[in-house]
Amino acid sequence: MAQLTVCKINDIIPETGVCALVNGKQVAIFCTKQTQLFALDNYDPFSQANVLSRGLIGGTTIINEDGSAENVLYVASPIYKQRFNLVTGQCLDDENIILDTYKVELEGSDVIVKYN
């Protein structure tokens, strides 16, 4: 698996995202107040624009197929407001849409995205 240092952790204001070019593809990287990092496609399939890194992070509770409740962090698109699970890339508003996600790690102060 390849990896790329995309920025320093201080380059990402908590509760926001940044965009990086990873292996020729735009990737949105998000950081929470607890310094949790998430990375998924920057491309919003609903507006057909690379804008998700400018979206708002939020949280909600979803009910799984087995009836259990799960707390989910999401990014809401800045265009039409569809919400995408930051862990899985699943669109919470359209079950047919799933974005690619990427492993992202903090090594010292470097934000590292891993990809195939």
Side-chain angles (χ1 to χ4, degrees), residues 4-116:
L4 178 68
T5 301
V6 295
C7 65
K8 299 288 187 188
I9 191 64
N10 292 338
D11 294 331
I12 310 174
I13 297 168
E15 299 298 308
T16 68
V18 297
C19 181
L21 193 60
V22 177
N23 198 29
K25 192 171 186 181
Q26 288 192 28
V27 174
I29 299 110
F30 297 93
C31 182
T32 67
K33 288 179 185 174
Q34 296 77 28
T35 318
Q36 291 177 279
L37 293 168
F38 302 93
L40 68 159
D41 286 342
N42 193 42
Y43 184 76
D44 174 6
F46 296 95
S47 66
Q48 298 181 352
N50 287 298
V51 294
L52 289 182
S53 63
R54 297 181 182 184
L56 297 175
I57 294 176
T60 191
T61 302
I62 61 172
I63 305 300
N64 293 316
E65 291 179 7
D66 64 3
S68 64
E70 178 184 0
N71 293 325
V72 172
L73 286 176
Y74 65 81
V75 60
S77 171
I79 306 293
Y80 297 123
K81 310 302 183 240
Q82 282 84 4
R83 301 166 300 157
F84 298 91
N85 183 320
L86 286 171
V87 174
T88 66
Q90 176 67 56
C91 180
L92 302 179
D93 304 299
D94 183 337
E95 65 185 30
N96 297 313
I97 304 293
I98 301 174
L99 301 179
D100 288 337
T101 59
Y102 303 84
K103 186 172 183 176
V104 61
E105 297 176 350
L106 187 60
E107 292 183 10
S109 63
D110 293 335
V111 177
I112 310 287
V113 175
K114 298 188 175 186
Y115 62 94
N116 291 326

